[in-house]
Amino acid sequence: MTVTSSRKLLVLAAIWAVLLLAPYWMAPLGGYTALATRVLVLGLAAMSVNFLLGFTGVLSFGHAAWFGLGAYGAGLTLKYLAPSTPLAVIAGMLLGGLCGALLGTLLVRRRGVYFAMVTIAFGQVFYYIAFQWSSLTGGDDGLRGFARQPLDFGLFKLDILTSADTFYYFVLFCFALAVGAMGFILRSPFGRTMIAIRENERRARFLGIPVERHIWIAFTLSCFFMGFAGALYALVNNFADPHGLHYSQSGDFVMMAVMGGMRSFWGPLLGAAVFVVLQDYLSSITVNWMSFVGLLFILVVLFFPRGLLGFFQRSKA
Amino acid sequence: MATGNRLWSVNRRTILKSGAAIAAAQITSPFIITARGETPVRIGLVDPLTGVYAAIAQSEVVGAKFAVEEINKKGGILGRPIELLVEDSANDVGTGVQKTRKLIERDQVNFIIGDVNSGIAIAMAQVTSEKKVLHIVSGGHTDPVTGTSCSWNVFRVCNSTTMDSAAIANTLIEKFGKKWYFLTPDYAYGHSVQAGFEKILKAAGGTSAGSLVPLGTPDYSSYLIQAKAYNPQVLINVMGGGDQVASLKQFVQFGLDKQMAVGGTLFELESIRAVPEAARIGWWTMEWWWNQPDVPHVAEFNAAIKKITGGAATARNWFGYVSVQTLALVANQEKTLDAPKLAHALAGFKLPPEVALQPGAPQYRAGDHELMSTVFVGEAHSPQGDPDNMFTVKNPVPGEKAAGSVEDTGCKLVWPT
Amino acid sequence: MTLLLLFNITNGLIVGAFYVLMALGLSLILNLSNVINFAHGGFLVIGGYIAYTLSPYVGFWGALLLAPPLTAVIGLAVERVLIRPLYGRDPLYSLLLTFGLAFMIEDLTRFIFGPQGKPVAIPAFLAQPLSNELFFITGYRLFMVATVFVAIALLFVLLRYTRLGIRIRAGTLDLETVAALGINVGLLRSLNFAVGIYLAGLSGVLAAGQLGLEPTMGTGLLMPSFIAIIVGGIGSLPGTLVGGLLIGVASGVTAVFFPAASEAVIYVLMAVILLTRPRGLFGEEGMMS
């Protein structure tokens, strides 16, 4: 027991060390801090999808809708309500989470392929609304004219607007909050129930677990996390646009989760890192990067369905 | 089933091993930016190379690359060779902004060009203004780029939507009449073209109605049914790209071309090539046209581009070409790469004939940084002689005349201290 | 006004017929194999480009006859190599794989044929409207509807009277028993997939006459097909037929009153169906839950 738990602690420490020192080791390798920030935000989104997918066994392929809604919530708050970054982040999280909660009630009775199709379609409804309601959202051109505001703590100011590194640490802090909350939930009895439902839904039902309600709660929680990630994404770009809600964005998130390893907690972050860096790198060296990304999807599904972390775990076993 | 698994797992190991080897070899080299004896001047170009605008974006890249070749033969910028770094914005704002940051922060580019998509262009401008990098918008048309969202470091080569609509509106009124029906894509570009047209039409006492069509609509019949019911003299087709191709095809298939004229602002050569013979009709504005027999240098440019692409030069090739040439010319003239100095020098900068490739000397207007290039108003038709000769210029309008006043654009430039 | 409405309903049926063709192929594949084929739009594009490549040699009619089966052959190869390993696994994997495949198809067609749209002309005698009043019913659109009819009729005959068809229908209801009866399920799934892709290829040839032929042509046509299936009921082919026609008409009629909402209305329709009758109009309870 002590060996595995101290190994787990070591791995955790290693992960956090890498994340904390990112601006320093990225530059010599040809990376740039904004890339790391992007990996964090998209990684958080992938982990939120995995909260539902890997831990509850529910495939939502329209989850980008909550991500995009979070981005719009943050953007609209900064543009029209108040120049406050924390408020924007909370607003985005609430928008994504509450819409998800509402729609979740419609979706929880379905499973499998049907659930996936319905989530895709509903995700597209929101994409479509963002696209068409151009007076509010800016339509295809997106919502702009807002920027993340420096944080004023009275005693000192955090300039997250112009300093890429300061912003990275702010995002890392938010990431830590979200990830901590996620981990806490997964370790709780509720989290254990979610895993039970994933493993065998019928048996869980026989045990008297209100399965639909649990799935709805898990769905809603994951939507709140997605909204949170989306709000951070709006801050990264100082921009929000309909593409963040499109099913292709959802597909990217699911792929990150699968590529990293669905059954592990940190897998999606690794998947996001690989995916974002690869896409960034490939699209700079070839116009045909889409073929490579598509090929990657296919190869991962056929040969590495358990993802990178899953692969390593198996090798050990 | 068991045999199947074993087969796959053998392949998986081999793939992983070879993949890791290849990846290791690839990842190390380009990331580490090697120091060179003479550091090149870097220009970053961000355009949607994949997605619905791929054809025109890739045309811009061709023009830009050709300009880089030409300039490097003559010694480059300030004696240093130009290196063009092309990035794909994938028609997504987040990606466009990220690539712009990457080009500026990691690749240390001196200049930025882009994007075809106006929304992305404006988002990029937010970054370039923040980083004080000179930014040329090669092909994004909406008014705000040199209007309400103008910025001291942003200059535009292609026309604003106001310029295009103002150039052709009176021609359409005189030739066909004052009752128009609009087929407008429902986003900022479409709205601003329609607004530009309506302003002039109303002033001339005309009437209009229209449909706002969602982007990517495959079937235009309901809109064309309404158009026919309205019975206009001209159908103004504001759609772009694949949507314009589909709507014109269907317009002609319904026989509506026999009952009303069709026209609008842009019907780019890339799109004319994509429609069947019957749909090559209407009155449009070209922002540059390859067939100008009386103007020197144009034939050479066209021949050079034809060698690269196999077809005549398009306006998009010219946009890319002018963007790079502008940067080289002004930098060599001012003998500096400092953005504010160059921006001041570009205000009022006139293009020399071998770059302008049109009559007159178009200049970047000081008040809004818009290039006052000629708007080639004319008619589309089936190929005559050359397979790409599908347009004849009937009424070229000088840029200044089409553009209206600087006050009307709403641009207020704020220069850095 | 009633005339305008009538026109738009008729028009909606014509548009709907096209959606039906796409959706039927998607539905066939979904019902038997539990695979959501995100690459269906990609196969549509492949069909269009094959037709474009062939037509200088065999003309429009030759291309119409040859392109769909050639697309189906490509579909067969894809199914054998890429999709077969995924049967029995979580539907997530086929979703991701076809998603990646769609990416590849778009990029490869752009790589092979270039991003420039290709001009596709239809036979002159078809490119004319029936009459001045009914100008929106061109010969080509009638021909499209006729083709869809024929395709549906042939599909019906295939499913009802041939051995393959009966096995497909049986497999949709209970694949395990079908396998236990000694039928080669792998071959069944392959052929079913091929039929679905044939329909996609056919849609592509027809679409190329109406839209611009370029690599991104298929993306906008995928979602309406999905919705047609959801509205009609997953697992029911007649449902898909009705669903497709319904969304075509709804979209056409809305374009008269609220053009901006003409696309949104099909999502609203789907939401209404999901709220009031979640299994779809013709779906069977428990089909996919």
mmCIF file of all heavy atoms in Angstrom, chain C residues 60-61 64 126 138-148 206:
data_model
loop_
_atom_site.group_PDB
_atom_site.id
_atom_site.type_symbol
_atom_site.label_atom_id
_atom_site.label_comp_id
_atom_site.label_asym_id
_atom_site.label_seq_id
_atom_site.Cartn_x
_atom_site.Cartn_y
_atom_site.Cartn_z
ATOM 1 N N PHE C 60 -22.696 12.602 -68.452
ATOM 2 C CA PHE C 60 -23.411 12.745 -67.188
ATOM 3 C C PHE C 60 -24.064 11.432 -66.783
ATOM 4 O O PHE C 60 -23.982 10.995 -65.628
ATOM 5 C CB PHE C 60 -24.465 13.851 -67.321
ATOM 6 C CG PHE C 60 -25.319 13.999 -66.103
ATOM 7 C CD1 PHE C 60 -24.849 14.654 -64.984
ATOM 8 C CD2 PHE C 60 -26.603 13.465 -66.063
ATOM 9 C CE1 PHE C 60 -25.633 14.781 -63.852
ATOM 10 C CE2 PHE C 60 -27.397 13.586 -64.937
ATOM 11 C CZ PHE C 60 -26.903 14.250 -63.829
ATOM 12 N N TRP C 61 -24.752 10.781 -67.711
ATOM 13 C CA TRP C 61 -25.499 9.565 -67.376
ATOM 14 C C TRP C 61 -24.567 8.431 -66.995
ATOM 15 O O TRP C 61 -24.837 7.679 -66.057
ATOM 16 C CB TRP C 61 -26.402 9.164 -68.549
ATOM 17 C CG TRP C 61 -27.307 10.283 -68.903
ATOM 18 C CD1 TRP C 61 -27.207 11.131 -69.957
ATOM 19 C CD2 TRP C 61 -28.444 10.701 -68.156
ATOM 20 N NE1 TRP C 61 -28.197 12.062 -69.920
ATOM 21 C CE2 TRP C 61 -28.981 11.820 -68.829
ATOM 22 C CE3 TRP C 61 -29.064 10.248 -66.993
ATOM 23 C CZ2 TRP C 61 -30.100 12.487 -68.375
ATOM 24 C CZ3 TRP C 61 -30.180 10.908 -66.543
ATOM 25 C CH2 TRP C 61 -30.692 12.024 -67.224
ATOM 26 N N LEU C 64 -23.387 9.080 -63.570
ATOM 27 C CA LEU C 64 -24.446 8.793 -62.602
ATOM 28 C C LEU C 64 -24.539 7.303 -62.319
ATOM 29 O O LEU C 64 -24.772 6.873 -61.195
ATOM 30 C CB LEU C 64 -25.784 9.304 -63.144
ATOM 31 C CG LEU C 64 -26.970 9.139 -62.203
ATOM 32 C CD1 LEU C 64 -26.817 10.085 -61.027
ATOM 33 C CD2 LEU C 64 -28.261 9.417 -62.936
ATOM 34 N N LEU C 126 -32.292 19.103 -68.992
ATOM 35 C CA LEU C 126 -32.776 19.019 -67.615
ATOM 36 C C LEU C 126 -32.705 20.363 -66.905
ATOM 37 O O LEU C 126 -33.364 20.591 -65.902
ATOM 38 C CB LEU C 126 -31.930 18.021 -66.818
ATOM 39 C CG LEU C 126 -32.211 16.541 -67.013
ATOM 40 C CD1 LEU C 126 -31.287 15.756 -66.104
ATOM 41 C CD2 LEU C 126 -33.653 16.206 -66.684
ATOM 42 N N THR C 138 -37.424 22.415 -61.734
ATOM 43 C CA THR C 138 -36.667 22.221 -62.969
ATOM 44 C C THR C 138 -36.663 20.743 -63.316
ATOM 45 O O THR C 138 -36.939 19.892 -62.470
ATOM 46 C CB THR C 138 -35.213 22.662 -62.789
ATOM 47 O OG1 THR C 138 -34.630 21.858 -61.764
ATOM 48 C CG2 THR C 138 -35.117 24.118 -62.416
ATOM 49 N N GLY C 139 -36.305 20.487 -64.540
ATOM 50 C CA GLY C 139 -36.191 19.094 -64.961
ATOM 51 C C GLY C 139 -35.232 18.350 -64.061
ATOM 52 O O GLY C 139 -35.463 17.191 -63.696
ATOM 53 N N TYR C 140 -34.165 19.027 -63.662
ATOM 54 C CA TYR C 140 -33.151 18.364 -62.854
ATOM 55 C C TYR C 140 -33.694 17.981 -61.496
ATOM 56 O O TYR C 140 -33.435 16.894 -60.977
ATOM 57 C CB TYR C 140 -31.943 19.278 -62.696
ATOM 58 C CG TYR C 140 -30.771 18.594 -62.049
ATOM 59 C CD1 TYR C 140 -30.053 17.629 -62.717
ATOM 60 C CD2 TYR C 140 -30.410 18.899 -60.736
ATOM 61 C CE1 TYR C 140 -28.989 16.997 -62.119
ATOM 62 C CE2 TYR C 140 -29.356 18.266 -60.130
ATOM 63 C CZ TYR C 140 -28.638 17.312 -60.832
ATOM 64 O OH TYR C 140 -27.591 16.675 -60.236
ATOM 65 N N ARG C 141 -34.477 18.858 -60.891
ATOM 66 C CA ARG C 141 -34.982 18.548 -59.560
ATOM 67 C C ARG C 141 -36.011 17.426 -59.628
ATOM 68 O O ARG C 141 -36.089 16.574 -58.760
ATOM 69 C CB ARG C 141 -35.572 19.800 -58.933
ATOM 70 C CG ARG C 141 -34.492 20.848 -58.716
ATOM 71 C CD ARG C 141 -35.046 22.105 -58.125
ATOM 72 N NE ARG C 141 -34.858 22.105 -56.681
ATOM 73 C CZ ARG C 141 -35.640 22.736 -55.829
ATOM 74 N NH1 ARG C 141 -36.677 23.400 -56.256
ATOM 75 N NH2 ARG C 141 -35.380 22.700 -54.543
ATOM 76 N N LEU C 142 -36.804 17.441 -60.707
ATOM 77 C CA LEU C 142 -37.752 16.339 -60.889
ATOM 78 C C LEU C 142 -36.983 15.037 -61.034
ATOM 79 O O LEU C 142 -37.366 13.996 -60.481
ATOM 80 C CB LEU C 142 -38.578 16.549 -62.159
ATOM 81 C CG LEU C 142 -39.879 17.297 -62.009
ATOM 82 C CD1 LEU C 142 -40.603 17.297 -63.335
ATOM 83 C CD2 LEU C 142 -40.752 16.639 -60.949
ATOM 84 N N PHE C 143 -35.913 15.139 -61.806
ATOM 85 C CA PHE C 143 -35.089 13.965 -62.017
ATOM 86 C C PHE C 143 -34.499 13.470 -60.695
ATOM 87 O O PHE C 143 -34.436 12.266 -60.436
ATOM 88 C CB PHE C 143 -33.973 14.322 -63.007
ATOM 89 C CG PHE C 143 -32.893 13.304 -63.086
ATOM 90 C CD1 PHE C 143 -33.126 12.074 -63.659
ATOM 91 C CD2 PHE C 143 -31.635 13.568 -62.568
ATOM 92 C CE1 PHE C 143 -32.137 11.129 -63.725
ATOM 93 C CE2 PHE C 143 -30.635 12.624 -62.626
ATOM 94 C CZ PHE C 143 -30.885 11.395 -63.208
ATOM 95 N N MET C 144 -34.104 14.415 -59.850
ATOM 96 C CA MET C 144 -33.572 14.045 -58.541
ATOM 97 C C MET C 144 -34.631 13.306 -57.737
ATOM 98 O O MET C 144 -34.364 12.271 -57.127
ATOM 99 C CB MET C 144 -33.167 15.315 -57.760
ATOM 100 C CG MET C 144 -31.684 15.508 -57.697
ATOM 101 S SD MET C 144 -31.172 17.033 -56.897
ATOM 102 C CE MET C 144 -32.197 17.159 -55.473
ATOM 103 N N VAL C 145 -35.830 13.855 -57.709
ATOM 104 C CA VAL C 145 -36.908 13.215 -56.955
ATOM 105 C C VAL C 145 -37.187 11.829 -57.523
ATOM 106 O O VAL C 145 -37.370 10.860 -56.783
ATOM 107 C CB VAL C 145 -38.188 14.072 -56.987
ATOM 108 C CG1 VAL C 145 -39.319 13.336 -56.303
ATOM 109 C CG2 VAL C 145 -37.954 15.398 -56.304
ATOM 110 N N ALA C 146 -37.192 11.755 -58.868
ATOM 111 C CA ALA C 146 -37.428 10.453 -59.497
ATOM 112 C C ALA C 146 -36.345 9.462 -59.098
ATOM 113 O O ALA C 146 -36.630 8.299 -58.784
ATOM 114 C CB ALA C 146 -37.465 10.626 -61.014
ATOM 115 N N THR C 147 -35.099 9.937 -59.099
ATOM 116 C CA THR C 147 -33.992 9.057 -58.712
ATOM 117 C C THR C 147 -34.165 8.578 -57.281
ATOM 118 O O THR C 147 -33.924 7.405 -56.978
ATOM 119 C CB THR C 147 -32.648 9.792 -58.844
ATOM 120 O OG1 THR C 147 -32.573 10.394 -60.117
ATOM 121 C CG2 THR C 147 -31.485 8.848 -58.663
ATOM 122 N N VAL C 148 -34.560 9.502 -56.416
ATOM 123 C CA VAL C 148 -34.751 9.111 -55.018
ATOM 124 C C VAL C 148 -35.848 8.062 -54.909
ATOM 125 O O VAL C 148 -35.723 7.069 -54.204
ATOM 126 C CB VAL C 148 -35.094 10.343 -54.155
ATOM 127 C CG1 VAL C 148 -35.464 9.924 -52.747
ATOM 128 C CG2 VAL C 148 -33.908 11.298 -54.106
ATOM 129 N N LEU C 206 -25.771 13.705 -57.450
ATOM 130 C CA LEU C 206 -26.916 14.608 -57.618
ATOM 131 C C LEU C 206 -26.616 15.996 -57.059
ATOM 132 O O LEU C 206 -26.957 17.005 -57.669
ATOM 133 C CB LEU C 206 -28.142 14.016 -56.919
ATOM 134 C CG LEU C 206 -28.691 12.743 -57.545
ATOM 135 C CD1 LEU C 206 -29.832 12.201 -56.703
ATOM 136 C CD2 LEU C 206 -29.161 12.996 -58.968
#
